[in-house]
Coordinates of all heavy atoms in Angstrom, one line a residue:
L990 N 0.8 -1.2 0.0 CA -0.1 0.1 0.0 C 0.9 1.2 0.0 O 1.9 1.3 0.6 CB -0.8 0.0 1.3 CG -2.0 1.0 1.3 CD1 -2.9 0.8 0.3 CD2 -2.6 0.9 2.7
M991 N 0.5 2.2 -0.7 CA 1.0 3.5 -0.8 C 2.5 3.4 -1.6 O 3.4 4.1 -1.4 CB 1.4 4.1 0.7 CG 0.3 4.4 1.4 SD -0.8 5.5 0.7 CE -2.4 4.9 1.6
F992 N 2.4 2.5 -2.5 CA 3.6 2.3 -3.3 C 3.8 3.5 -4.3 O 4.9 3.9 -4.7 CB 3.5 1.1 -4.1 CG 4.6 0.8 -5.1 CD1 5.9 0.5 -4.6 CD2 4.4 0.8 -6.5 CE1 6.9 0.2 -5.4 CE2 5.5 0.5 -7.3 CZ 6.7 0.2 -6.8
M993 N 2.6 4.0 -4.8 CA 2.7 5.1 -5.6 C 1.6 6.0 -5.4 O 0.4 5.7 -4.8 CB 2.7 4.7 -7.1 CG 1.5 3.9 -7.5 SD 1.6 3.1 -9.1 CE 2.5 4.1 -10.1
A994 N 1.6 7.3 -5.8 CA 0.6 8.3 -5.6 C -0.8 7.9 -6.1 O -0.8 7.3 -7.3 CB 1.0 9.7 -6.1
I995 N -1.9 8.3 -5.6 CA -3.2 7.9 -6.1 C -4.0 9.3 -6.1 O -3.6 10.4 -5.6 CB -3.9 7.0 -5.2 CG1 -4.1 7.5 -3.9 CG2 -3.3 5.7 -5.2 CD1 -5.0 6.5 -3.0
D996 N -4.9 9.3 -7.1 CA -5.7 10.6 -7.2 C -6.7 10.7 -6.2 O -6.9 9.8 -5.3 CB -6.2 10.7 -8.6 CG -7.3 9.7 -9.1 OD1 -8.1 9.3 -8.0 OD2 -7.5 9.2 -10.2
R997 N -7.3 11.9 -6.1 CA -8.3 12.3 -5.1 C -9.5 11.2 -5.1 O -9.9 10.8 -4.0 CB -8.8 13.6 -5.2 CG -9.7 14.1 -4.3 CD -10.2 15.5 -4.4 NE -9.1 16.4 -4.2 CZ -8.9 17.1 -3.1 NH1 -9.8 17.1 -2.1 NH2 -7.8 17.9 -2.9
H998 N -10.1 10.8 -6.3 CA -11.1 9.9 -6.3 C -10.7 8.5 -5.7 O -11.5 8.0 -4.9 CB -11.6 9.7 -7.8 CG -12.6 8.7 -7.9 ND1 -13.9 8.8 -7.6 CD2 -12.7 7.4 -8.5 CE1 -14.6 7.8 -7.8 NE2 -13.9 7.0 -8.3
E999 N -9.5 8.0 -6.1 CA -9.0 6.8 -5.5 C -8.8 6.8 -3.9 O -9.0 6.0 -3.2 CB -7.6 6.4 -6.1 CG -7.9 6.0 -7.6 CD -6.6 5.8 -8.4 OE1 -5.6 6.7 -7.9 OE2 -6.5 5.0 -9.2
A1000 N -8.3 8.0 -3.6 CA -8.2 8.2 -2.0 C -9.4 8.2 -1.3 O -9.6 7.7 -0.3 CB -7.4 9.6 -1.7
N1001 N -10.5 8.9 -1.9 CA -11.8 8.8 -1.4 C -12.5 7.4 -1.2 O -13.0 7.1 -0.3 CB -12.8 9.8 -2.2 CG -14.0 10.0 -1.5 OD1 -14.2 9.8 -0.3 ND2 -14.9 10.7 -2.2
L1002 N -12.2 6.7 -2.4 CA -12.6 5.3 -2.4 C -11.9 4.4 -1.3 O -12.5 3.7 -0.6 CB -12.4 4.6 -3.8 CG -13.3 5.1 -4.9 CD1 -12.8 4.5 -6.2 CD2 -14.7 4.8 -4.6
F1003 N -10.6 4.7 -1.1 CA -9.8 4.2 -0.1 C -10.4 4.4 1.3 O -10.6 3.6 2.3 CB -8.4 4.4 -0.2 CG -7.4 3.7 0.8 CD1 -7.4 2.3 1.0 CD2 -6.6 4.4 1.6 CE1 -6.6 1.8 1.9 CE2 -5.8 3.8 2.7 CZ -5.8 2.4 2.8
F1004 N -10.7 5.7 1.5 CA -11.3 6.1 2.7 C -12.6 5.4 3.0 O -12.9 4.9 4.1 CB -11.5 7.7 2.8 CG -12.5 8.0 3.9 CD1 -11.9 8.0 5.3 CD2 -13.8 8.4 3.7 CE1 -12.8 8.4 6.3 CE2 -14.5 8.8 4.8 CZ -14.0 8.8 6.1
Q1005 N -13.4 5.3 1.9 CA -14.7 4.6 2.2 C -14.6 3.1 2.6 O -15.4 2.6 3.3 CB -15.6 4.9 0.9 CG -16.1 6.1 0.5 CD -16.8 6.4 -0.7 OE1 -17.5 5.4 -1.0 NE2 -16.6 7.5 -1.4
L1006 N -13.6 2.5 2.0 CA -13.4 1.2 2.2 C -12.9 1.0 3.7 O -13.5 0.2 4.6 CB -12.2 0.6 1.4 CG -11.8 -0.8 1.8 CD1 -12.8 -1.9 1.6 CD2 -10.4 -1.1 1.1
I1007 N -12.0 1.8 4.2 CA -11.5 1.8 5.6 C -12.6 2.1 6.5 O -12.9 1.5 7.6 CB -10.4 2.7 5.8 CG1 -9.2 2.3 4.9 CG2 -9.9 2.8 7.2 CD1 -8.5 0.8 5.2
N1008 N -13.4 3.2 6.2 CA -14.5 3.5 7.0 C -15.5 2.4 7.2 O -16.1 2.2 8.3 CB -15.2 4.8 6.5 CG -16.1 5.6 7.4 OD1 -15.6 5.7 8.6 ND2 -17.2 5.8 7.0
Q1009 N -15.9 1.7 6.0 CA -16.7 0.5 6.2 C -16.2 -0.5 7.1 O -17.0 -1.3 7.7 CB -17.1 -0.1 4.8 CG -18.0 0.8 3.9 CD -19.4 0.6 4.5 OE1 -20.0 1.6 4.8 NE2 -20.0 -0.6 4.4
L1010 N -14.9 -0.8 7.0 CA -14.3 -2.0 7.7 C -14.1 -1.5 9.1 O -14.0 -2.4 10.1 CB -13.0 -2.4 7.1 CG -13.1 -2.8 5.6 CD1 -11.7 -3.1 5.1 CD2 -13.9 -4.2 5.7
Y1011 N -14.0 -0.3 9.4 CA -13.6 0.2 10.8 C -14.7 -0.3 11.9 O -15.9 -0.1 11.7 CB -13.6 1.8 10.7 CG -13.5 2.4 12.1 CD1 -12.1 2.3 12.6 CD2 -14.3 3.2 12.8 CE1 -11.8 2.9 13.9 CE2 -14.1 3.7 14.1 CZ -12.9 3.6 14.5 OH -12.6 4.2 15.8
G1012 N -14.1 -1.0 12.8 CA -14.9 -1.4 13.9 C -15.7 -2.8 13.5 O -16.3 -3.3 14.4
Q1013 N -15.6 -3.3 12.3 CA -16.3 -4.4 11.9 C -15.4 -5.7 11.8 O -15.9 -6.7 12.0 CB -17.0 -4.1 10.6 CG -17.9 -3.0 10.5 CD -19.1 -3.2 11.5 OE1 -19.8 -4.3 11.5 NE2 -19.4 -2.2 12.2
T1014 N -14.1 -5.4 11.6 CA -13.3 -6.6 11.2 C -11.9 -6.1 11.5 O -11.6 -5.0 11.6 CB -13.4 -7.1 9.8 OG1 -12.7 -8.2 9.6 CG2 -12.9 -5.9 8.8
S1015 N -10.9 -7.0 11.3 CA -9.4 -6.8 11.6 C -8.9 -6.3 10.2 O -9.4 -6.8 9.2 CB -8.8 -8.0 12.0 OG -9.1 -8.3 13.2
I1016 N -7.9 -5.4 10.1 CA -7.3 -5.0 8.9 C -6.0 -5.1 9.1 O -5.3 -4.7 10.0 CB -7.7 -3.5 8.7 CG1 -9.2 -3.3 8.6 CG2 -7.0 -3.0 7.3 CD1 -9.7 -1.9 8.5
I1017 N -5.2 -5.7 8.1 CA -3.7 -5.8 8.1 C -3.2 -5.0 6.9 O -3.7 -5.2 5.7 CB -3.2 -7.1 8.0 CG1 -3.6 -8.0 9.3 CG2 -1.8 -7.2 7.9 CD1 -3.3 -9.4 9.3
I1018 N -2.5 -4.0 7.1 CA -1.9 -3.2 5.9 C -0.4 -3.1 6.1 O 0.2 -3.0 7.2 CB -2.5 -1.7 6.0 CG1 -4.0 -1.7 5.8 CG2 -1.8 -0.9 5.1 CD1 -4.7 -0.4 5.7
T1019 N 0.1 -3.4 5.0 CA 1.7 -3.2 4.8 C 1.9 -2.0 3.9 O 1.3 -1.8 2.9 CB 2.4 -4.5 4.4 OG1 2.0 -4.7 3.1 CG2 2.1 -5.6 5.4
S1020 N 3.0 -1.3 4.1 CA 3.4 -0.2 3.3 C 5.0 0.0 3.4 O 5.4 -0.1 4.5 CB 2.6 1.1 3.7 OG 3.0 2.1 3.0
N1021 N 5.5 0.5 2.3 CA 6.8 0.9 2.5 C 7.0 2.3 2.7 O 8.2 2.8 2.8 CB 7.6 0.5 1.1 CG 7.0 1.3 -0.1 OD1 5.9 1.8 -0.1 ND2 7.9 1.3 -1.2
K1022 N 5.9 3.0 3.2 CA 6.0 4.4 3.4 C 5.3 4.6 4.8 O 4.4 3.8 5.2 CB 5.1 5.3 2.4 CG 5.4 5.1 1.1 CD 6.8 5.7 0.8 CE 7.0 5.7 -0.7 NZ 8.5 6.0 -1.0
G1023 N 6.0 5.5 5.6 CA 5.4 5.7 7.0 C 4.3 6.6 6.9 O 4.0 7.2 5.9
P1024 N 3.4 6.6 8.0 CA 2.2 7.4 7.9 C 2.5 8.9 7.6 O 1.6 9.6 7.1 CB 1.7 7.2 9.3 CG 2.2 6.0 9.9 CD 3.6 5.8 9.1
E1025 N 3.6 9.4 8.1 CA 3.9 10.8 7.8 C 4.1 11.1 6.3 O 4.0 12.3 5.9 CB 5.2 11.2 8.5 CG 6.5 10.5 8.1 CD 6.6 9.1 8.7 OE1 6.0 8.7 9.4 OE2 7.7 8.6 8.1
E1026 N 4.3 10.1 5.5 CA 4.4 10.3 4.0 C 3.1 10.0 3.2 O 3.0 10.3 2.0 CB 5.4 9.3 3.4 CG 6.8 9.5 4.0 CD 7.8 8.4 3.7 OE1 8.3 8.6 2.4 OE2 8.0 7.4 4.3
W1027 N 2.1 9.5 4.1 CA 0.8 9.2 3.3 C 0.1 10.5 2.6 O -0.6 10.3 1.8 CB -0.1 8.4 4.2 CG 0.2 6.9 4.4 CD1 1.4 6.5 4.3 CD2 -0.6 5.9 4.8 NE1 1.4 5.1 4.5 CE2 0.1 4.7 4.9 CE3 -2.0 5.9 5.0 CZ2 -0.5 3.6 5.2 CZ3 -2.4 4.7 5.4 CH2 -1.7 3.5 5.5
G1028 N 0.2 11.6 3.4 CA -0.5 12.8 2.9 C -0.1 13.1 1.6 O -0.9 13.6 0.7
D1029 N 1.3 13.0 1.3 CA 1.8 13.3 -0.2 C 1.2 12.3 -1.1 O 0.9 12.7 -2.2 CB 3.3 13.3 -0.1 CG 4.0 14.4 0.7 OD1 3.2 15.5 0.8 OD2 5.0 14.3 1.2
I1030 N 1.2 11.2 -0.7 CA 0.7 10.0 -1.6 C -0.8 10.2 -1.9 O -1.1 9.9 -3.1 CB 1.2 8.7 -1.1 CG1 2.7 8.5 -1.1 CG2 0.6 7.5 -2.1 CD1 3.3 7.5 -0.1
L1031 N -1.5 10.5 -0.9 CA -3.0 10.5 -1.0 C -3.4 11.8 -1.6 O -4.4 12.0 -2.1 CB -3.6 10.3 0.3 CG -3.5 8.8 0.8 CD1 -4.1 8.7 2.2 CD2 -4.2 7.9 -0.1
G1032 N -2.6 12.9 -1.3 CA -2.9 14.1 -1.9 C -3.9 14.9 -1.3 O -4.3 16.0 -1.9
D1033 N -4.4 14.5 -0.1 CA -5.5 15.3 0.6 C -5.2 15.1 2.1 O -5.5 13.9 2.5 CB -6.8 14.8 0.1 CG -7.9 15.6 0.8 OD1 -7.8 16.1 1.9 OD2 -9.0 15.6 0.2
P1034 N -4.8 16.2 2.8 CA -4.5 15.9 4.2 C -5.7 15.6 5.1 O -5.6 14.8 6.0 CB -4.0 17.3 4.6 CG -3.7 18.0 3.4 CD -4.5 17.4 2.3
A1035 N -6.9 16.1 4.8 CA -8.0 15.8 5.4 C -8.4 14.3 5.3 O -8.7 13.5 6.3 CB -9.3 16.6 5.0
I1036 N -8.3 13.7 4.0 CA -8.7 12.3 3.9 C -7.7 11.4 4.6 O -7.8 10.4 5.2 CB -8.8 11.9 2.4 CG1 -10.1 12.5 2.0 CG2 -8.8 10.4 2.1 CD1 -10.3 12.3 0.3
T1037 N -6.3 11.8 4.4 CA -5.3 11.2 5.0 C -5.5 11.0 6.6 O -5.3 9.9 7.2 CB -3.9 11.7 4.8 OG1 -3.7 11.9 3.3 CG2 -2.7 11.0 5.4
T1038 N -5.8 12.1 7.2 CA -6.0 12.2 8.7 C -7.2 11.3 9.1 O -7.0 10.5 10.0 CB -6.3 13.6 9.2 OG1 -5.2 14.4 8.8 CG2 -6.6 13.6 10.7
A1039 N -8.3 11.2 8.4 CA -9.4 10.4 8.6 C -9.0 8.9 8.4 O -9.4 8.1 9.3 CB -10.5 10.8 7.6
I1040 N -8.3 8.5 7.4 CA -7.9 7.3 7.3 C -6.9 6.7 8.4 O -7.2 5.7 9.0 CB -7.1 7.0 5.9 CG1 -8.2 7.2 4.7 CG2 -6.5 5.7 5.8 CD1 -7.6 7.3 3.3
L1041 N -6.0 7.5 8.7 CA -5.0 7.2 9.6 C -5.7 7.1 11.1 O -5.4 6.2 11.9 CB -3.8 8.1 9.7 CG -2.8 8.0 8.6 CD1 -1.8 9.0 8.6 CD2 -2.2 6.6 8.6
D1042 N -6.7 7.9 11.4 CA -7.3 7.9 12.6 C -8.2 6.6 12.8 O -8.0 6.1 13.8 CB -8.5 9.1 12.5 CG -9.2 9.1 13.8 OD1 -8.6 9.2 14.9 OD2 -10.5 9.1 13.7
R1043 N -8.7 6.1 11.8 CA -9.5 4.8 11.8 C -8.5 3.7 11.9 O -8.8 2.7 12.6 CB -10.4 4.8 10.7 CG -11.7 5.7 10.9 CD -12.4 6.0 9.6 NE -13.5 6.8 9.8 CZ -13.5 8.1 10.0 NH1 -12.2 8.8 9.9 NH2 -14.5 8.8 10.2
L1044 N -7.4 3.8 11.1 CA -6.5 2.6 11.1 C -5.7 2.5 12.4 O -5.5 1.4 12.9 CB -5.4 2.8 9.9 CG -6.0 2.5 8.5 CD1 -4.9 2.8 7.5 CD2 -6.6 1.2 8.5
I1045 N -5.3 3.7 12.9 CA -4.4 3.6 14.2 C -5.2 3.4 15.4 O -4.7 2.8 16.4 CB -3.4 4.9 14.2 CG1 -2.5 4.8 13.0 CG2 -2.7 4.9 15.6 CD1 -1.6 5.9 12.7
H1046 N -6.5 3.8 15.5 CA -7.3 3.6 16.7 C -7.4 2.1 17.0 O -7.8 1.3 16.2 CB -8.6 4.2 16.5 CG -9.5 4.2 17.6 ND1 -10.7 3.5 17.5 CD2 -9.4 4.6 18.9 CE1 -11.3 3.6 18.8 NE2 -10.5 4.3 19.6
K1047 N -7.1 1.7 18.3 CA -7.1 0.4 18.6 C -6.2 -0.6 17.8 O -6.6 -1.7 17.4 CB -8.6 -0.1 18.8 CG -9.4 0.6 19.7 CD -10.9 -0.1 19.7 CE -11.8 0.6 20.7 NZ -13.1 0.1 20.7
S1048 N -5.1 0.0 17.4 CA -4.3 -0.9 16.6 C -3.0 -1.3 17.3 O -2.6 -0.7 18.0 CB -4.0 -0.2 15.2 OG -3.2 0.8 15.5
E1049 N -2.2 -2.2 16.5 CA -1.0 -2.5 16.8 C -0.1 -2.3 15.7 O -0.2 -2.7 14.5 CB -0.8 -4.1 17.2 CG 0.5 -4.5 17.6 CD 1.0 -4.1 19.0 OE1 0.1 -3.9 19.8 OE2 2.2 -3.8 19.2
V1050 N 0.8 -1.3 15.8 CA 1.7 -0.8 14.7 C 3.1 -1.6 14.9 O 3.6 -1.5 16.0 CB 1.9 0.6 14.5 CG1 2.9 1.0 13.6 CG2 0.6 1.4 14.4
I1051 N 3.4 -2.3 13.8 CA 4.7 -3.0 13.9 C 5.5 -2.4 12.8 O 5.2 -2.4 11.6 CB 4.6 -4.5 13.6 CG1 3.5 -5.2 14.5 CG2 5.8 -5.2 13.5 CD1 3.2 -6.6 14.3
H1052 N 6.7 -1.8 13.3 CA 7.6 -1.2 12.4 C 8.7 -2.0 12.2 O 9.5 -2.3 13.2 CB 8.1 0.2 13.0 CG 8.9 0.9 12.1 ND1 8.6 1.8 11.1 CD2 10.4 0.9 12.0 CE1 9.6 2.2 10.6 NE2 10.7 1.7 11.0
L1053 N 9.1 -2.6 11.0 CA 10.2 -3.6 10.7 C 11.3 -2.7 10.2 O 11.2 -1.8 9.3 CB 9.8 -4.6 9.7 CG 8.6 -5.4 10.1 CD1 8.2 -6.3 8.9 CD2 8.8 -6.2 11.3
T1054 N 12.5 -3.1 10.6 CA 13.7 -2.4 10.3 C 14.8 -3.4 9.8 O 14.6 -4.7 10.1 CB 14.2 -1.5 11.3 OG1 14.6 -2.3 12.4 CG2 13.3 -0.4 11.7
G1055 N 15.8 -3.0 9.2 CA 16.8 -3.9 8.8 C 16.8 -4.2 7.4 O 16.2 -3.6 6.6
D1056 N 17.6 -5.2 7.0 CA 17.8 -5.5 5.5 C 16.6 -6.2 4.9 O 16.0 -6.9 5.6 CB 19.1 -6.3 5.3 CG 20.4 -5.7 5.7 OD1 20.4 -4.5 5.6 OD2 21.3 -6.4 6.0
S1057 N 16.3 -5.8 3.8 CA 15.3 -6.5 3.0 C 15.5 -8.0 2.8 O 16.7 -8.4 2.3 CB 14.9 -5.8 1.7 OG 14.3 -6.6 0.8
Y1058 N 14.8 -8.9 3.2 CA 14.9 -10.4 2.9 C 15.0 -10.6 1.4 O 15.9 -11.4 1.0 CB 13.7 -11.2 3.5 CG 13.8 -12.7 3.4 CD1 14.7 -13.3 4.2 CD2 13.4 -13.3 2.3 CE1 14.9 -14.6 4.2 CE2 13.6 -14.6 2.2 CZ 14.4 -15.4 3.1 OH 14.5 -16.6 2.9
R1059 N 14.2 -9.9 0.6 CA 14.2 -10.1 -0.8 C 15.6 -9.7 -1.3 O 16.2 -10.4 -2.2 CB 13.2 -9.3 -1.5 CG 13.1 -9.4 -2.9 CD 12.0 -8.6 -3.6 NE 11.8 -7.2 -3.1 CZ 12.7 -6.2 -3.5 NH1 13.3 -6.4 -4.6 NH2 12.5 -5.1 -3.1
L1060 N 16.1 -8.6 -0.9 CA 17.4 -8.0 -1.5 C 18.6 -8.9 -0.9 O 19.5 -9.2 -1.6 CB 17.5 -6.6 -1.2 CG 16.6 -5.6 -1.9 CD1 16.8 -4.2 -1.4 CD2 16.8 -5.7 -3.4
K1061 N 18.5 -9.2 0.4 CA 19.5 -10.0 1.0 C 19.7 -11.4 0.2 O 20.9 -11.8 0.2 CB 19.2 -10.1 2.5 CG 20.3 -10.8 3.3 CD 19.9 -10.7 4.8 CE 21.0 -11.5 5.6 NZ 20.8 -11.4 7.0
H1062 N 18.6 -12.0 0.0 CA 18.6 -13.3 -0.5 C 18.4 -13.3 -2.1 O 17.8 -14.3 -2.6 CB 17.6 -14.3 0.2 CG 18.1 -14.3 1.6 ND1 19.2 -15.1 2.0 CD2 17.6 -13.8 2.7 CE1 19.3 -15.0 3.4 NE2 18.4 -14.2 3.7
R1063 N 18.6 -12.2 -2.8 CA 18.2 -12.0 -4.2 C 18.6 -13.2 -5.0 O 17.9 -13.7 -5.9 CB 18.8 -10.8 -4.7 CG 18.3 -10.4 -6.1 CD 18.9 -9.0 -6.6 NE 18.4 -8.6 -7.8 CZ 17.2 -8.1 -8.0 NH1 16.3 -8.0 -7.0 NH2 16.8 -7.8 -9.2
Q1064 N 19.9 -13.6 -5.0 CA 20.4 -14.7 -5.8 C 19.8 -16.1 -5.6 O 19.4 -16.7 -6.6 CB 21.9 -14.7 -5.7 CG 22.6 -13.7 -6.4 CD 24.1 -13.9 -6.6 OE1 24.7 -14.5 -5.7 NE2 24.6 -13.5 -7.6
T1065 N 19.5 -16.3 -4.4 CA 18.9 -17.7 -4.1 C 17.3 -17.6 -4.4 O 16.8 -18.6 -4.7 CB 19.0 -18.0 -2.7 OG1 18.4 -17.1 -1.7 CG2 20.4 -18.3 -2.2
I1066 N 16.7 -16.5 -4.4 CA 15.3 -16.3 -4.7 C 15.1 -16.3 -6.2 O 14.2 -16.9 -6.8 CB 14.7 -15.1 -4.1 CG1 14.8 -15.3 -2.5 CG2 13.3 -14.9 -4.6 CD1 14.3 -14.0 -1.7
F1067 N 15.9 -15.4 -6.9 CA 15.7 -15.0 -8.3 C 16.7 -15.8 -9.3 O 16.7 -15.5 -10.5 CB 15.8 -13.6 -8.6 CG 14.7 -12.8 -7.8 CD1 15.0 -12.1 -6.7 CD2 13.4 -13.0 -8.2 CE1 14.2 -11.4 -6.0 CE2 12.3 -12.2 -7.4 CZ 12.7 -11.5 -6.3
G1068 N 17.7 -16.5 -8.6 CA 18.7 -17.1 -9.5 C 19.9 -16.3 -9.7 O 20.1 -15.3 -9.1
N1069 N 20.8 -16.6 -10.5 CA 22.0 -15.8 -10.8 C 21.9 -14.8 -11.7 O 22.9 -14.3 -12.3 CB 23.1 -16.9 -11.2 CG 23.5 -17.7 -9.9 OD1 23.4 -17.4 -8.9 ND2 23.9 -18.9 -10.4
N1070 N 20.8 -14.4 -12.2 CA 20.6 -13.4 -13.3 C 21.1 -12.0 -12.8 O 21.0 -11.2 -12.4 CB 19.1 -13.2 -13.9 CG 18.9 -14.6 -14.5 OD1 19.8 -15.4 -14.8 ND2 17.6 -14.9 -14.8

């Protein structure tokens, strides 16, 4: 998630999805961008705040650091190319 910028309509649809799921089910989201960068990607600070408010409320945030497993084991995963 948040791999590339999305337009205002897509951000609104994403908000609607999160809003529908909020309080109804568990949500797992992975992203290579931190929440502080989401505003730039979503292009609307108000929608970004509303989405993050719903996602972070009653959540467990797990921040992974370190070397990428994919890059570290590139040759064994993808061959010698």
